[in-house]
Amino acid sequence: MLNKYARAFFTRVLTPFAAFLIRRGVSPDTVTLIGTAGVVAGALVFYPRGEFFWGTVVITLFVFSDLVDGNMARQLGRSSRWGAFLDSTLDRVADGAIFGGFALWYAGRGDDNVLCAVSIFCLASGQVVSYTKARGESIGLPVAVNGLVERAERLVISLVAAGFAGLHKFGVPGIQWLLPIALWIVAAGSLVTLVQRVVTVRRESAEAEAAAAQQAGGAAR
């Protein structure tokens, strides 16, 4: 979620903390699990009650665990397939909790079935967008497309909007509409991204099959 300059800055800042955790015997996987638990708690405790500002603050603090665990793994020389798998899997859990928290608010005291449905669509489409790339790569396709709204964009748009929308409780008028607008943007962008990836996989699959058929024909001659 951070651009390369911000990531480099926070990496330098968090390196001593990562080294401290290593000395204390904490593993990168533990940090990943704690970070995900913090995001899930922030989303499912605060958001369903309409506490969008404080929920976003808590989530943002735990999001930095993604930098800490990676830093620890590099210091330990333990970058592994398991670590990458765990990190990616728990990212999906965190994403689901965030949009699930929005859905619970609109299904309850937010009292807006349409926005509840939009939140659920954002949750589901985000998971499917990630799945299409993983599944395409698992069958040997590059899935070479940068979607309109991928995970970083989904989270930045939603969390920034939620944080500002939460300022309504501090007396800032009209700002609560930022979150509904953001959810519609994320929903539309996720749909476009899903279509982009499906079309890309279809094209790459056809190209791969044509190349395989041509190669088989050449071998037969």
Side-chain angles (χ1 to χ4, degrees):
M1 290 174 59
L2 298 170
N3 65 42
K4 62 180 180 179
Y5 302 109
R7 179 174 286 271
F9 169 76
F10 283 109
T11 297
R12 288 195 299 271
V13 170
L14 294 173
T15 292
F17 179 61
F20 169 78
L21 293 178
I22 291 171
R23 290 195 298 271
R24 293 291 178 177
V26 180
S27 71
D29 289 351
T30 300
V31 173
T32 302
L33 290 167
I34 292 173
T36 302
V39 171
V40 170
L44 298 183
V45 171
F46 290 93
Y47 284 174
R49 296 187 295 157
E51 297 288 347
F52 294 118
F53 177 78
W54 293 114
T56 301
V57 169
V58 171
I59 290 169
T60 301
L61 290 174
F62 280 101
V63 160
F64 282 100
S65 67
D66 192 47
L67 292 177
V68 175
D69 60 10
N71 193 307
M72 292 172 67
R74 286 190 295 274
Q75 290 190 44
L76 291 168
R78 287 187 191 170
S79 295
S80 64
R81 291 185 178 89
W82 161 250
F85 169 81
L86 180 66
D87 194 53
S88 180
T89 300
L90 293 182
D91 281 348
R92 306 287 87 76
V93 173
D95 293 358
I98 291 169
F99 290 104
F102 295 146
L104 288 172
W105 162 250
Y106 288 117
R109 283 186 286 175
D111 193 24
D112 193 319
N113 288 337
V114 172
L115 286 174
C116 176
V118 172
S119 299
I120 293 172
F121 180 82
C122 289
L123 190 164
S125 60
Q127 307 296 324
V128 176
V129 164
S130 297
Y131 173 79
T132 54
K133 186 173 181 63
R135 181 58 177 152
E137 291 175 342
S138 74
I139 59 176
L141 301 175
V143 195
V145 58
N146 291 320
L148 179 65
V149 176
E150 298 191 357
R151 181 173 187 259
E153 289 80 11
R154 288 196 304 270
L155 291 183
V156 169
I157 293 169
S158 301
L159 292 177
V160 169
F164 279 112
L167 294 177
H168 178 68
K169 288 200 170 186
F170 295 90
V172 180
I175 202 166
Q176 71 272 21
W177 292 106
L178 283 178
L179 181 56
I181 292 170
L183 289 174
W184 278 107
I185 291 172
V186 170
S190 296
L191 179 60
V192 171
T193 302
L194 178 58
V195 171
Q196 287 177 306
R197 288 195 172 176
V198 170
V199 169
T200 298
V201 169
R202 180 178 175 82
R203 175 178 53 78
E204 292 177 348
S205 177
E207 291 172 352
E209 289 172 2
Q214 184 178 16
Q215 186 176 15
R221 288 195 296 271

